[in-house]
Each structure stands twice: as C-alpha cells, then as structure tokens.
Amino acid sequence: MSSPATSAANPAATSPAPIILTGDRPTGPLHLGHYVGSLRNRVTYQRDYRQFIMLADAQALTDNMDDPAKVQRNVIEVALDYLATGIDPAQSTILIQSQIPELAELTFYYLNLVTVARLERNPTVKEEIRLRGFERDIPAGFLTYPASQAADITAFKAVLVPVGEDQVPMIEQTNEIVRRFNRIVNKEVLVEAKALVPEIGRLPGIDGKAKMSKSLGNTINLSASADEVRAAVKKVYTDPLHLRVADPGHIEGNIAFSYLDAFDPEKDALAEMKAHYQRGGLADSIVKARLEAVLQEFLAPIRARRAELEKDRGHVMQILKEGTARAREVAAQTADDVKRAMGLSYF
Ligand code: TRP
C-alpha cells in the first residue's frame, strides 16, 4: 500500500515500534504548560515509538463551529510550535484530522456503541459542558466527540496515548468501544490503548492558578516575544506574605520557583536561591531577574527556529500534507478492517 518513496523518507512511520498517538485542538498558540506537560515528552517518544501527532481541527470545531477560520489559522500555528520545539517530521507523523475522512467514517459506526447516557456521564465532557455554559444546548457533535476521539485512537492502532489527567476518561471510553466492537465481530480488530499520564504535574499559570491555560489568560506562549516574556515575568505570582526583603519567603505556591524548577538548568544554584529566599534577605526582584534570564534563554532558540520556518510556510504545509497522506493510509486500512469485520464488504 505505502509507496517505497514515503517509507524511505520516513522509516519511523513504518517501523514495527509501538504506536503512540497524541493530539491537540488547534484553538490557540501552545504555551509553556504544553511544553512541560507534553511537547518535550513527544520529542523523546519520537525516537522510540512510531509517533502520530494529530492536529484535531475537526474536534476543535465541535465547540468552535461559529469560527472555523480561527481553527484553520491555528492549525499552522500549532504545527509551527511543534516543529520549533523539536518535533521532527522525519521521526513523527504530523497529521490534520479533517483531511482523513476515514476518521469520520469510523466515528459514524462507533456512535452506535455508546449511549447518550454514557456520553453525558463522561466526566471530561460533563466538566467541559459546564465550563462552556452549554446547559441543555449542547452541540450534538460536542456531546459525542468521545466517539470521534475513539476513532482517532483506534484508526492508528495506538497502544499508548500520552494525555493529561483530564483526558483519561476519553481513553476509558475508547476502550469500552474497542471491547464492544471486538465482542460483536468476535475478532480482535481494534486494539485497546493505555493513557500515559506524565508524572510531572501541570505547570501553574502566571497568576498562581493551578493550571496554565489559554482560557484563563495566564499563559506564556512558546511564540511570545522577548518583550511579552518580560511583561509576563513581571506579573508572575510569588509569595504575597513576602512583604519585606528581609522577611522569610515561601517556595510552595510561589510560581516564580515553580517555573525555575521546570526550566532552570542550574539546579544547585536554584537550591541555594530557594534556601536564601526561605531564610529571608532575598528580594523577589532578584528571583524574577533569574526567571526572566532562564525563560529568555529557553525561548530564544524556539523563537529563532519558528522565524526560520515561517519564512517558508509552503514547506510547513508540505510536511503536514505528507504526514496526513501517510496517516491516511493507516486509517483507511483500519476503516476497511472494521467494515470487513461487520461484513460490510459487498463488492
Ligand atoms: N481531546 C484532546 C484535547 O482536548 C485532543 C485530541 C483529539 C486527542 N484527538 C485525540 C488527544 C486523540 C489524544 C488522542 O487535548
């Protein structure tokens, strides 16, 4: 099925290594939280696994159908974030969900393997419905997106799905669909997947909230300019009880130190700085100066790679086109297997 040319260009896409799949809804730029929680892991995974990374634009539309242009625009922005942080298209397959109609086809069958009651009980969907204030006016596509995500995961026969804690119910529901389908056709057509939840917790927002998130407006984007980084660091929440420099300060809940823990490569100097802060006598401004230097140093090469890539957006689109074509071959095979298993192979 796959042409020798694509296989040679991308040995990782056809190797027998276990398949790992992740995805993002392209609704806005990626930030430091994405980096800590997932992007940096993907850079490691791509060496050892056959990795698919999905730009889930169709899923993003389930609650953004009023603004498809926003989703479309962010597909390339997120792709730039991937490439700038070290996702290597020769090792990972980046694909655009909407360009693989077999995913919609699989979703159509899987919808018959879940009940509305079960979808309404899915804790992730439930919380998202609450956050979006849908009340009873839930787009049907939104309520049923777990079936679509099951299609994403099973189409590529992924055995591992790295996700945040909040996505674990999605994997559970996928596996219910897998077991139900395999039981009906009495054959192991679909494979169950395991959620891979990173041990390092999520990165808090600059405002001190537990999660860095676009909707909370407390992010530092991977594409932030040097000025934006400077301004964000100024706003970073520290210890509200640390009123005078001489006072002992707290490390816990102090976001400047949370970020330094995540990004400062000089661990010994950081340990000393923490001890000094806790003893008293260390100004927030000194801690923040260090934080700014660390973040600028971390983001500068990402920004430079991004600028380089942006010079040739056609090349980036070509990477997405090739990844999507490769991914489609795999998804088409699964859709074919699924239909055959049901006896829906007439000609
Ligand atoms: N639902 C995921 C999120 O909101 C995005 C996503 C879509 C995904 N399809 C996927 C994640 C498949 C893992 C696997 O972040």
Side-chain angles (χ1 to χ4, degrees), residues 21-25 54 56 59 97 128 145 149 152-153 161-163 167 170-171:
L21 169 95
T22 54
D24 298 286
R25 294 181 195 174
M54 175 181 295
Q59 184 179 115
Q97 184 185 32
E128 287 175 330
Y145 92 75
Q149 193 154 326
D152 300 342
I153 294 167
V161 184
V163 283
Q167 287 286 308
M170 292 295 162
I171 319 299

Side-chain angles (χ1 to χ4, degrees), residues 71-338:
V71 173
Q72 189 269 341
R73 213 171 39 244
N74 279 300
V75 163
I76 184 130
E77 292 305 321
V78 172
L80 285 166
D81 286 332
Y82 290 165
L83 298 169
T85 48
I87 304 287
D88 174 5
Q91 290 180 287
S92 294
T93 298
I94 308 175
L95 61 118
I96 304 179
Q97 184 185 32
S98 66
Q99 303 307 297
I100 302 186
E102 288 79 6
L103 296 175
E105 197 182 358
L106 286 170
T107 304
F108 196 57
Y109 298 120
Y110 294 173
L111 281 170
N112 304 314
L113 297 170
V114 291
T115 64
V116 172
R118 175 68 180 87
L119 290 163
E120 283 172 341
R121 266 200 316 274
N122 181 309
T124 308
V125 176
K126 217 168 155 173
E127 174 65 3
E128 287 175 330
I129 287 172
R130 194 185 65 76
L131 288 173
R132 285 161 180 72
F134 284 143
E135 311 222 340
R136 291 291 303 153
D137 295 322
I138 310 162
F142 190 85
L143 181 65
T144 57
Y145 92 75
S148 146
Q149 193 154 326
D152 300 342
I153 294 167
T154 56
F156 302 105
K157 300 194 158 63
V159 291
L160 287 175
V161 184
V163 283
E165 193 70 54
D166 59 311
Q167 287 286 308
V168 172
M170 292 295 162
I171 319 299
E172 284 166 2
Q173 197 157 11
T174 296
N175 289 337
E176 284 175 27
I177 290 174
V178 166
R179 288 192 292 267
R180 219 159 270 166
F181 183 82
N182 288 347
R183 203 178 320 119
I184 290 166
V185 301
N186 198 20
K187 207 175 151 201
E188 299 292 301
V189 176
L190 302 174
V191 274
E192 289 192 49
K194 244 179 72 178
L196 200 60
V197 180
E199 273 168 46
I200 308 222
R202 53 173 50 142
L203 200 68
I206 62 168
D207 57 358
K209 293 220 175 79
K211 188 182 177 186
M212 182 177 280
S213 134
K214 180 171 58 72
S215 50
L216 296 172
N218 61 10
T219 66
I220 299 177
N221 293 335
L222 293 166
S223 52
S225 68
D227 283 347
E228 286 168 335
V229 174
R230 195 168 310 121
V233 168
K234 279 214 185 80
K235 287 196 258 172
V236 163
Y237 180 91
T238 57
D239 174 9
L241 301 173
H242 188 229
L243 296 174
R244 281 173 301 256
V245 172
D247 291 344
H250 295 88
I251 303 295
E252 314 74 45
N254 186 322
I255 307 305
F257 284 107
S258 310
Y259 292 176
L260 284 168
D261 277 335
F263 293 99
D264 193 339
E266 315 235 354
K267 298 296 169 212
D268 291 346
L270 175 58
E272 252 171 62
M273 186 178 242
K274 284 182 178 173
H276 190 177
Y277 193 80
Q278 285 174 305
R279 264 196 325 269
L282 186 64
D284 276 16
S285 59
I286 309 269
V287 179
K288 285 198 168 182
R290 173 65 190 160
L291 177 61
E292 200 206 320
V294 165
L295 290 183
Q296 296 289 15
E297 195 164 325
F298 172 72
L299 289 170
I302 295 176
R303 194 182 302 125
R305 269 197 299 272
R306 198 176 216 283
E308 199 52 44
L309 290 157
E310 279 191 300
K311 282 189 205 153
D312 191 356
R313 287 190 169 229
H315 174 64
V316 177
M317 284 320 296
Q318 190 57 31
I319 288 170
L320 299 183
K321 189 175 174 187
E322 283 169 19
T324 302
R326 245 178 358 244
R328 188 171 179 188
E329 286 181 22
V330 181
Q333 184 60 57
T334 305
D336 196 56
D337 293 346
V338 161

